[in-house]
């Protein structure tokens, strides 16, 4: 049996007196892509930040590649897991190449400078994300979608074995949404990594997700294989709106009634 | 992330220019010394000439000018990352306010020399601790909380300083005002300032790559493996000590701490591994030039050095701003 990338046991998380999850347990294995679904303010971001080790849970344990997350130093933690934030505030301008190279930080010593290898990794990520030609542009001069892809480039350069993504399709047009999912699916399977992402678009998630966690906002959660969990009944409850489904070319699509 | 060829050229010129500038600065003053005389008197200690006497006065002043400029620039660069605001300077959290009030009170009490410098340093540290305690509160600090606590306390210090100036006798007012504008004529020993600058620069360079990440936001830095609380504390203490040491030496010299980091950033980019070193040299060189002009332009009278740093620095800054991007 392979060891789980992420092993979550009896996790309880609350924020501002509100319960996000109560004794939630699940295991994420290499190659898995999980999505976190839930309405506004149900705690998707809070759950991701807790899994990323940026805030302490009120109970339970999180293991990353067999290590207790609470005992890892921030640097080692960042070697195992990478987090794409929902939003970035660009106060100080940096170039696309600089942003991509930042992914190397957890792999370098304090006095170390980026090597040729690091530069070529950054260049590779920039090409994969279709940012070629923008390497020396300041991030603040780029469009929202281009900035978003530059931040994803950081993550690809960081090359963790566990990807945590907070609404990765933010700011992206349809072409880039699909392309980004393809890249993530490809990276997840070829590098034996795993991914958890918070998303709003169930149909987009359905393209690559193997599992899902539904956050109700009251502490109640449903988690498991995508097909079992993402049903019209569960989604209708989750979004407090009747959700219907259609079948099209072997894909199941959901839409609000 | 690395410098281009013309940037390397500027970078090396900036650093190599510092000792040359220092030598020229030693030669200029109310009484001129030629470079040849200068080298002669530096190497022959026994030459009890007029020149060596003048040098004994000028060497600490030139060394002090560079260290003050360098420390303020470094402190400013660190504060700008810490509070995530490009308008931050070394004094934004009120460090100079505490130092200034303590100094003015010691001038009022007729104290001078080491005791006055000690009071200034104690005042700066008090101001720094006050902000730390207030900003920390029940939860961890945020940049905005830190900035607001600092700005409010700085305003309180300013009020207390104005009050002190109001009740101060005429005779002491001129000295007080010079000190508030930044004045290098009280400089005696600069050994401590250089130690603080050396330690501060080493620490800052050690954390330079982390500073690059913190510039992108504390959450992003934490996600990439930065121990954000530890690094923020180190930056805060380091920047405050640098500001405190330089205020103690030369008074509340303005502008350098705000502009030098921006000049360095505009010329060499945002990577702190280069930008911090460049800031130290931009700030140091700027104050050396400004102080030389301050004591020669209308010699034997002196102009407060803060006036000249602003007059030279602002055109450079605006030129770079027009050409580049912030």
């Amino acid at each position: 049996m392979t060891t789980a990338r992420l092993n979550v046991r009896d996790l309880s998380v609350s924020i501002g007196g509100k319960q996000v999850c109560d004794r939630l347990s699940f295991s994420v294995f290499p190659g898995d892509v999980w999505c976190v679904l839930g309405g506004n303010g149900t705690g998707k971001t809070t759950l991701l930040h807790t899994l990323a080790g940026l805030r302490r849970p009120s109970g339970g344990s999180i293991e990353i590649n067999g290590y207790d997350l609470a005992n890892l130093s921030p640097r080692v933690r960042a070697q195992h897991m990478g987090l794409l934030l929902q939003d970035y505030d660009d106060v100080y301008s940096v170039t696309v190449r600089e942003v991509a190279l930042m992914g190397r930080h957890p792999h370098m010593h304090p006095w170390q400078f980026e090597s040729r290898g690091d530069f070529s990794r950054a260049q590779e990520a920039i090409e994969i994300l279709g940012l070629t030609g923008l390497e020396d542009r300041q991030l603040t001069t780029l469009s929202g979608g281009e900035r978003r892809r530059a931040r994803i480039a950081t993550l690809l350069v960081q090359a963790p074995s566990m990807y945590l993504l907070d609404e990765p399709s933010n700011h992206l047009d349809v072409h880039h949404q699909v392309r980004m999912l393809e890249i993530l699916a490809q990276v997840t399977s070829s590098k034996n990594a795993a991914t958890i992402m918070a998303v709003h678009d169930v149909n987009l998630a359905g393209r690559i997700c193997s599992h899902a966690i539904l956050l109700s906002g009251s502490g109640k959660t449903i988690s498991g294989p995508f097909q079992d969990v993402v049903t019209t009944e569960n989604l209708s409850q989750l979004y407090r709106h009747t959700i219907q489904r259609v079948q099209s070319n072997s894909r199941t699509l959901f839409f609000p009634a | 992330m690395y410098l281009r060829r013309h940037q390397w050229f500027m970078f090396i010129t900036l650093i190599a220019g510092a000792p040359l500038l220092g030598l020229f600065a030693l030669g200029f003053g109310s009484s001129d010394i030629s470079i040849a005389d200068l080298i002669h008197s530096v190497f022959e200690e026994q030459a009890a000439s007029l020149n060596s006497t003048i040098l004994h006065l000028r060497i600490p002043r030139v060394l002090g000018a560079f260290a003050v400029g360098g420390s303020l620039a470094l402190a400013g660069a660190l504060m700008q990352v810490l509070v995530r605001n490009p308008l931050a300077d070394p004094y934004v959290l009120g460090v100079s306010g505490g130092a200034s009030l303590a100094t003015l009170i010691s001038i009022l009490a007729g104290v001078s020399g080491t005791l006055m410098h000690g009071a200034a340093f104690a005042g700066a540290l008090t101001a720094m601790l006050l902000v730390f305690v207030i900003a920390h509160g029940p939860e961890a600090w945020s940049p905005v909380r830190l900035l607001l606590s600092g700005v409010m306390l700085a305003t309180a210090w300013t009020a207390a300083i104005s009050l002190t100036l109001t009740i101060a006798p005429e005779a002491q007012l001129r000295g007080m005002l010079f000190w508030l504008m930044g004045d290098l004529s009280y400089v005696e020993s600069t050994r401590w300032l250089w130690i603080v600058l050396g330690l501060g620069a080493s620490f800052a360079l050690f954390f330079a790559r982390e500073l690059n990440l913190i510039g992108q936001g504390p959450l992003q830095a934490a996600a990439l493996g930065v121990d954000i609380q530890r690094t923020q504390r180190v930056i805060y203490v380091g920047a405050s000590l640098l500001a405190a040491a330089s205020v103690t030496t030369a008074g509340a010299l303005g502008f350098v701490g705000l502009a030098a980091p921006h000049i360095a950033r505009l010329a060499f980019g945002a990577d702190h591994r280069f930008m911090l070193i460049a800031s130290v040299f931009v700030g140091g060189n700027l104050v050396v030039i400004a102080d030389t002009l301050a004591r020669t332009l209308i010699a034997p009278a002196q102009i407060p050095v803060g006036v000249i740093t602003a007059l030279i620095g602002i055109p450079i800054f605006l030129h770079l701003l027009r050409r580049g991007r912030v």
Side-chain angles (χ1 to χ4, degrees):
Chain A
M1 182 183 153
T2 48
T3 46
R5 286 275 173 246
L6 197 70
N7 212 342
V8 175
R9 287 285 152 264
D10 297 324
L11 184 73
S12 297
V13 175
S14 58
I15 182 167
K18 193 173 165 168
Q19 193 82 22
V20 173
C21 60
D22 184 20
R23 281 164 289 155
L24 171 67
S25 297
F26 63 94
S27 297
V28 179
F29 289 93
D32 284 0
V33 178
W34 287 62
C35 63
V36 181
L37 298 172
N40 292 142
T42 49
K44 300 185 290 295
T45 297
T46 308
L47 178 62
L48 281 184
H49 286 189
T50 310
L51 295 176
L54 300 188
R55 65 195 310 283
R56 292 203 168 278
S58 45
S61 67
I62 301 166
E63 270 182 18
I64 170 80
N65 292 326
Y67 301 100
D68 187 348
L69 184 65
N71 295 336
L72 291 186
S73 73
R75 193 172 104 93
V76 175
R77 191 184 67 213
Q79 293 167 359
H80 287 284
M81 53 200 339
L83 171 68
L84 180 74
L85 298 174
Q86 192 177 100
D87 282 305
Y88 292 84
D89 47 342
D90 304 309
V91 176
Y92 293 106
S93 197
V94 282
T95 65
V96 170
R97 182 181 283 114
E98 286 171 340
V99 166
L101 276 172
M102 282 177 183
R104 290 304 294 162
H105 179 79
H107 304 282
M108 293 162 66
H109 297 293
W111 295 107
Q112 203 177 339
F113 275 77
E114 290 86 354
S115 64
R116 253 173 224 285
D118 296 330
F119 273 91
S120 58
R121 275 172 219 254
Q123 193 57 41
E124 197 186 333
I126 287 169
E127 278 161 23
I128 289 175
L129 288 157
L131 294 168
T132 318
L134 301 178
E135 291 89 345
D136 293 316
R137 288 277 297 275
Q138 303 286 321
L139 219 56
T140 43
T141 65
L142 300 181
S143 77
E146 287 163 338
R147 287 188 215 186
R148 193 68 180 155
R149 283 183 278 139
R151 298 298 181 179
I152 297 173
T154 309
L155 213 62
L156 294 188
V157 173
Q158 187 181 354
S161 54
M162 183 78 232
Y163 288 85
L164 302 166
L165 314 169
D166 201 348
E167 300 189 18
S169 56
N170 264 5
H171 302 294
L172 297 184
D173 60 28
V174 175
H175 164 74
H176 282 112
Q177 286 185 358
V178 175
R179 174 94 182 100
M180 185 248 345
L181 285 187
E182 283 168 6
I183 294 167
L184 286 175
Q186 201 264 329
V187 167
T188 306
S189 69
S190 71
K191 301 273 165 69
N192 244 342
T195 297
I196 301 179
M197 54 181 168
V199 281
H200 278 296
D201 189 336
V202 184
N203 296 321
L204 202 59
R207 295 177 78 104
I208 65 163
C209 289
S210 56
H211 295 74
I213 301 172
L214 311 191
L215 298 182
S216 70
S218 61
K220 196 171 145 276
T221 51
I222 306 172
S223 59
F226 194 85
Q227 287 88 342
D228 302 354
V229 172
V230 179
T231 61
T232 48
E233 300 92 280
N234 283 345
L235 289 180
S236 298
Q237 262 190 3
L238 190 72
Y239 293 117
R240 285 172 298 156
H241 189 100
T242 310
I243 304 286
Q244 294 177 342
R245 48 181 272 179
V246 286
Q247 205 70 30
S248 161
N249 300 335
S250 83
R251 288 189 57 210
T252 311
L253 297 175
F254 296 89
F255 64 96
Chain B
M1 208 146 244
Y2 293 155
L3 303 182
R4 293 154 189 281
R5 185 173 293 177
H6 75 275
Q7 286 177 315
W8 273 116
F9 179 74
M10 283 198 298
F11 195 68
I12 292 165
T13 311
L14 182 68
I15 292 170
L20 292 177
L21 217 55
L23 274 179
F24 275 112
L26 285 179
F28 284 105
S30 329
S31 124
D32 285 344
I33 310 174
S34 75
I35 298 284
D37 284 347
L38 214 123
I39 292 166
H40 187 72
S41 21
V42 168
F43 288 104
E44 290 185 26
E45 288 186 24
Q46 295 306 314
S49 61
L50 176 68
N51 284 354
S52 75
T53 318
I54 291 170
L55 278 182
H56 269 293
L57 294 172
R58 279 189 202 161
I59 286 175
R61 181 138 180 185
V62 172
L63 283 176
F66 185 89
V68 163
S71 303
L72 287 176
L74 184 56
L78 294 174
M79 285 290 184
Q80 284 169 8
V81 179
L82 184 67
V83 299
R84 294 181 55 60
N85 192 320
L87 286 177
D89 72 2
Y91 308 141
V92 69
L93 301 183
V95 169
S96 73
S100 302
L101 183 64
T103 308
L104 295 199
I105 290 174
S106 17
I107 296 177
L108 205 58
V111 175
S112 63
T114 317
L115 208 58
M116 187 182 90
H117 289 146
F121 197 69
L125 290 187
T126 309
M128 162 185 147
L129 285 176
L130 260 180
V131 174
F132 186 86
V133 170
I134 293 172
H136 212 57
E139 316 157 41
W141 63 13
S142 69
V144 174
R145 204 180 152 102
L146 187 66
L147 188 58
L148 283 178
S149 320
V151 169
M152 282 305 137
L153 275 170
T155 311
W157 291 120
T158 309
I161 289 165
S162 304
L163 184 67
T164 314
L165 287 174
T166 316
I167 58 171
E170 290 283 318
Q172 288 165 341
L173 211 50
R174 192 179 158 80
M176 288 180 169
L177 286 176
F178 260 63
W179 197 90
L180 284 177
M181 285 184 275
D183 184 6
L184 282 152
S185 47
Y186 294 119
V187 173
E188 290 158 10
S189 161
T190 60
R191 193 191 307 139
W192 284 106
L193 184 57
W194 277 96
I195 291 172
V196 172
L197 178 58
L199 284 177
S202 315
F203 264 99
L205 285 178
F206 183 82
F207 287 106
R209 234 178 42 234
E210 298 200 353
L211 291 173
N212 289 343
L213 299 182
I214 292 176
Q216 298 302 302
L219 264 183
Q220 166 69 343
L224 284 169
V226 175
D227 186 340
I228 198 82
Q229 264 208 342
R230 182 198 63 174
T231 306
Q232 280 181 333
R233 278 181 196 175
V234 171
I235 300 174
Y236 173 68
V237 172
S240 302
L241 287 179
L242 283 163
S246 87
V247 170
T248 304
T249 311
L253 178 56
F255 180 75
V256 181
L258 171 65
H262 283 297
I263 293 175
R265 200 177 283 120
L266 286 165
F268 301 106
D271 187 343
H272 284 84
R273 288 172 288 184
F274 297 102
M275 183 278 212
L276 289 177
I277 302 175
S279 294
V280 169
F281 281 87
V282 168
N285 289 346
L286 182 62
V287 177
V288 169
I289 297 171
D291 183 54
T292 310
L293 292 174
R295 59 190 168 78
T296 50
L297 278 184
I298 53 164
Q302 304 208 357
I303 305 169
V305 63
V307 174
I308 313 267
T309 47
L311 288 181
I312 304 175
I314 286 171
I316 299 177
F317 180 73
L318 292 179
H319 168 70
L320 285 167
L321 191 62
R322 266 175 62 87
R323 220 194 43 180
R325 316 133 297 210
V326 170

